[in-house]
Amino acid sequence: MASHKLLVPPPKALLKPLSIPKRLLLGPGPSNLPPRIMSAGGMQIIGPMDKEMYQIMDEIKEGIQYLFQTRNPLTLVITGSGHCALEAALVNVLEPGDSFLVGVNGIWGQRAMDIGERMGARVHPMTKDPGGHYTLQEVEEGLAQHKPVLLFLTHGESSTGVLQPLDGFGELCHRYKCLLLVDSVVSLGGTPLYMDQQGIDILYSGSQKVLNAPPGTSFISFSDKAKKKMYSRKTKPFSFYLDIKWLANFWGCDDQPRMYHHTIPVISLYSLRESLALVAEQGLENSWRQHREAAAYLHGRLQALGLQLFVKDPALRLPMVTTVAVPAGYDWRDIVSYILDHFDIEIMGGLGPSTGKVLRIGLLGCNATRENVDRVTEALGAALQHCPKKKL
């Protein structure tokens, strides 16, 4: 028998059917879900420690190793977005007082710097204006000056549209006894990336970009050098939830009987498994080609509209997220709103240091098609005709 009267009635909004608009997501992520991945999300749940679930987890690990191009046994999924994978890397590798060198050429470098500072690391930012990238010489100067245990670089900086070259950086870091940590959240699956061959020690990515899976899961892999640094810590990681030793056991990375750590998002992992399967069926090189060709077509259509690409050097343009300089006299918010309201297409403005400077158009996974390029450029052309233009 209830001992008190209810003070809060059932919310009226929850007594109505759920209504979701039909929308083409051409921002920097998340991306639209293909039918096969949506179907996976409708399957019945099983226990997170059932043998059938362990089989799915093992298949997911193999898929991640394929996309990362790594043979690292310590490869697993993090329950959380790409931010969570970044935090997992830093929480496990860095200890208070460690020197941490951070490439800050967009919002993800800013976030890495923030997390490192919260952990008590000695953070040394290498700051660039939006659109900038790092050369081997610049990084070597930072390594020699600060003697870090860890360098952070963003492979695909989705806030600025920059693709950071990675060849040579792993070898350079290792000469200075430094580990290389790379963010590939938006780049994975859409442009060449070779974890082992490029000497990357820690690589992470997310589910909701090129993989076209629901947001909320991310994945990470550690080299033997990174594992040695983590497993020889003097202090425990301050996060139990993100403790890699526990997660490695739960994901079957240590050849020991699996122990419960946390309740994994079973349904999301079904979807992630299918998204990895789709890329495996297509083939990585074919996926890279698809994104490269779609981006080139988009760049030509944008320039035909008289728009300026924000990243000047074609070799440094991120194929999955194209940044366009906000045209003079326009408010970027008017353009984004017009395209959404009149065409049901979502593009985004800038983020972090690129706010107010750019429009961001994403071609991610199944959305990277010429048809979608035609749709979004038609919408952009209409927006430029109808949105109010301020007098300069």
Side-chain angles (χ1 to χ4, degrees), residues 221-359:
S221 183
F222 298 88
S223 70
D224 288 341
K225 289 184 177 71
K227 180 180 178 180
K228 182 177 179 182
K229 173 74 167 72
M230 293 187 297
Y231 282 50
S232 61
R233 293 176 61 97
K234 298 180 182 66
T235 59
K236 283 186 177 183
F238 67 74
S239 171
F240 176 83
Y241 187 70
L242 298 177
D243 189 321
I244 290 299
K245 286 186 178 180
W246 277 88
L247 292 173
N249 171 266
F250 191 47
W251 277 87
C253 302
D254 63 2
D255 297 322
Q256 299 296 318
R258 302 193 199 203
M259 296 185 295
Y260 173 79
H261 177 256
H262 71 282
T263 302
I264 52 176
V266 171
I267 300 296
S268 292
L269 293 181
Y270 295 168
S271 298
L272 178 59
R273 190 268 181 202
E274 289 300 275
S275 70
L276 292 166
L278 287 172
V279 177
E281 291 167 9
Q282 181 184 17
L284 259 181
E285 291 173 317
N286 291 329
S287 181
W288 296 341
R289 185 182 307 112
Q290 173 192 348
H291 287 84
R292 182 175 65 248
E293 292 175 353
Y297 183 55
L298 173 63
H299 296 166
R301 292 296 304 267
L302 292 170
Q303 290 169 326
L305 289 173
L307 295 170
Q308 294 185 353
L309 300 179
F310 186 70
V311 180
K312 303 305 179 187
D313 186 345
L316 298 176
R317 290 174 186 157
L318 181 62
M320 291 66 63
V321 178
T322 295
T323 45
V324 181
V326 176
Y330 289 93
D331 187 323
W332 67 269
R333 288 163 290 209
D334 293 338
I335 297 173
V336 169
S337 296
Y338 184 90
I339 291 172
L340 184 62
D341 294 342
H342 292 82
F343 292 88
D344 292 317
I345 298 174
E346 180 177 280
I347 67 171
M348 303 291 277
L351 183 65
S354 67
T355 300
K357 296 181 174 68
V358 301
L359 299 169

Side-chain angles (χ1 to χ4, degrees), residues 28 114 181 198 202 211 325 340 388:
D114 189 343
L181 165 62
Q198 291 176 317
I202 309 162
L211 290 182
L340 184 62

Side-chain angles (χ1 to χ4, degrees), residues 74-154:
L74 189 47
T75 300
L76 52 87
V77 172
I78 302 287
T79 301
S81 68
H83 274 87
C84 206
L86 169 59
E87 193 148 324
L90 297 183
V91 161
N92 284 277
V93 172
L94 293 176
E95 295 192 76
D98 278 349
S99 179
F100 178 32
L101 187 62
V102 185
V104 184
N105 62 334
I107 193 168
W108 309 120
Q110 290 181 343
R111 297 288 170 87
M113 183 174 65
D114 189 343
I115 296 169
E117 289 172 345
R118 291 167 185 251
M119 292 175 50
R122 292 181 291 116
V123 180
H124 306 286
M126 299 183 295
T127 304
K128 293 261 188 177
D129 290 334
H133 75 290
Y134 297 94
T135 65
L136 288 166
Q137 181 180 345
E138 290 168 335
V139 168
E140 184 164 17
E141 291 171 358
L143 293 170
Q145 180 181 355
H146 301 295
K147 298 177 176 54
V149 301
L150 185 67
L151 165 68
F152 171 87
L153 292 175
T154 307

Side-chain angles (χ1 to χ4, degrees), residues 1-5:
M1 193 71 172
S3 59
H4 296 279
K5 291 184 178 180

Side-chain angles (χ1 to χ4, degrees), residues 66-69 155 166 182-184 187-189 191-196 198 200 203-205 284 288:
Y66 171 62
L67 263 71
F68 280 1
Q69 283 297 288
H155 186 216
L166 292 177
V182 173
D183 175 319
S184 68
S187 61
L188 183 70
T191 195
L193 182 62
Y194 311 90
M195 183 175 187
D196 289 358
Q198 291 176 317
I200 300 168
L203 183 64
Y204 69 89
S205 192
L284 259 181
W288 296 341

